[in-house]
Amino acid sequence: LENSSMSSRPQLYDFHGVAMTHCVTDNREKVKNFQARPDDILIATYPKAGQSNNMYKQVLQFLSPERQSFIPIFERVPFLEIAISTVVPADIDGFLTKISCLTLKSHFTLKIMVYVARNAKDNMVSFYHFDHMNMVQPEPGEWSSYFQRFLDGQMLYGSWYDHVGNWWNKTKTYPKLHYMFYEDIAEDTEREIDKLCSFLRLSPSAEDKKTIVELVHFDNMKNDDMANCSKLNFLDFKISPFLRKGKVGDWKNHFTVAQNEVFNEDYKSKMKDPTLRFRTEI
């Protein structure tokens, strides 16, 4: 992406019933044709589900013998569907065949191994700030209109409710899917790393586990140029950092009392599965 083109923002359009942009859908054929191998690991989230996404990428790469900490995270863990050369190599097919154990990230609803979910209120706020600084996503507009678009599901990748709900439903029939919550990670990172390692049948040493916990601490990732995406030229860090706060409950600094009441009523009507529970504070 050339800097001269950063002034123009893409528009959302309907792609089989889900709001998308061309930089995502233009790579769809390669995504459809992608053949995962038995030891491939894919990580999925709704956009801006928190630094947990980066945390998992760091954990998996640390535990991989091919890890290279001097390579930016978006190159070590390619974004499967996005059609931007600085995020996914142009020769994606050739790139994939050169890696013995591949870790990919995606926001598409696919049957993959690790899904990370974040409560809708904080997810909305994080997505809002990200859309401001991400020049390849649509203009977010004012907070009040953004708030309503989120409730209506008129967001890139569609409805938060559909995304987190569809993945949760898959856990009931698909044993290779590990569903994690951002709030749990914030509350006890070491515990959640233990769960992830157990799921992947990994047994890191006590020393390695300590290193991982330090590595994925929010402040450490925020200051690590190999993890904070500072080398992506379509992100405007003068507006906002990619890793902004990493807090549970930041929504309280954005939601008005009236918006919180509207959101809570909307949530009650749309969150039908009582077994899927999110915390908006810890």
Side-chain angles (χ1 to χ4, degrees):
L1 182 72
E2 297 296 331
N3 288 334
S4 60
S5 66
M6 293 176 72
S7 59
S8 60
R9 294 285 196 108
Q11 299 294 314
L12 292 177
Y13 78 101
D14 186 278
F15 183 78
H16 301 296
V18 179
M20 287 290 183
T21 61
H22 283 287
C23 73
V24 174
T25 59
D26 285 355
N27 210 36
R28 187 56 187 254
E29 285 305 311
K30 288 186 177 181
V31 174
K32 288 171 62 178
N33 295 329
F34 171 70
Q35 296 294 317
R37 296 165 295 194
D39 58 349
D40 286 345
I41 301 170
L42 280 79
I43 308 166
T45 70
Y46 189 73
K48 297 308 292 177
Q51 92 274 8
S52 51
N53 196 353
N54 260 18
M55 188 204 82
Y56 281 105
K57 289 185 284 185
Q58 292 279 49
V59 170
L60 294 171
Q61 287 298 289
F62 182 86
L63 296 173
S64 167
E66 295 86 4
R67 69 182 185 272
Q68 293 178 294
S69 60
F70 57 86
I71 297 176
I73 194 73
F74 57 84
E75 292 184 10
R76 282 180 280 154
V77 185
F79 202 149
L80 181 60
E81 70 262 20
I82 201 161
I84 303 173
S85 61
T86 51
V87 182
V88 174
D91 179 23
I92 184 67
D93 297 323
F95 177 78
L96 298 180
T97 60
K98 296 176 183 176
I99 304 177
S100 60
C101 180
L102 175 65
T103 306
L104 294 168
K105 67 170 285 189
S106 173
H107 295 313
F108 277 147
T109 306
L110 302 172
K111 288 186 177 180
I112 62 177
M113 291 190 67
V114 180
Y115 185 79
V116 186
R118 188 181 194 180
N119 80 80
K121 293 181 179 180
D122 281 326
N123 205 150
M124 184 196 304
V125 169
S126 184
F127 207 168
Y128 175 69
H129 286 283
F130 182 58
D131 276 351
H132 271 290
M133 60 97 69
N134 187 343
M135 298 299 118
V136 297
Q137 294 200 173
E139 286 280 0
E142 296 297 323
W143 167 249
S144 58
S145 61
Y146 194 88
F147 173 89
Q148 190 59 51
R149 283 205 297 115
F150 189 95
L151 297 189
D152 294 339
Q154 296 303 307
M155 308 292 296
L156 181 62
Y157 290 94
S159 165
W160 175 90
Y161 293 97
D162 290 345
H163 208 282
V164 299
N166 289 340
W167 278 100
W168 183 253
N169 288 335
K170 291 181 188 298
T171 64
K172 301 170 183 177
T173 58
Y174 191 65
K176 292 184 178 180
L177 174 59
H178 189 48
Y179 202 105
M180 308 293 283
F181 295 91
Y182 174 84
E183 294 74 31
D184 293 344
I185 299 163
E187 183 178 61
D188 192 333
T189 304
E190 184 173 354
R191 178 191 65 202
E192 298 310 306
I193 289 175
D194 282 341
K195 289 181 180 178
L196 177 63
C197 290
S198 176
F199 174 74
L200 298 175
R201 299 182 181 178
L202 299 172
S203 301
S205 66
E207 182 179 351
D208 278 352
K209 190 185 301 182
K210 180 180 178 180
T211 300
I212 292 170
V213 172
E214 292 177 357
L215 184 71
V216 302
H217 188 279
F218 182 83
D219 290 339
N220 291 338
M221 287 198 298
K222 186 171 183 175
N223 294 319
D224 181 357
D225 286 345
M226 297 299 104
N228 61 20
C229 293
S230 60
K231 298 186 181 299
L232 290 175
N233 67 351
F234 55 85
L235 301 181
D236 190 342
F237 286 82
K238 294 178 182 178
I239 296 176
S240 173
F242 177 76
L243 297 174
R244 196 176 57 89
K245 286 189 176 181
K247 303 293 185 183
V248 177
D250 187 43
W251 62 271
K252 296 176 183 179
N253 297 317
H254 296 75
F255 281 48
T256 65
V257 173
Q259 285 175 337
N260 193 43
E261 292 175 352
V262 169
F263 178 91
N264 289 342
E265 287 302 314
D266 186 75
Y267 191 90
K268 288 178 184 177
S269 68
K270 292 177 180 174
M271 186 55 74
K272 302 297 186 181
D273 190 337
T275 65
L276 178 55
R277 299 172 181 173
F278 286 90
R279 294 184 290 166
T280 58
E281 53 187 320
I282 56 174

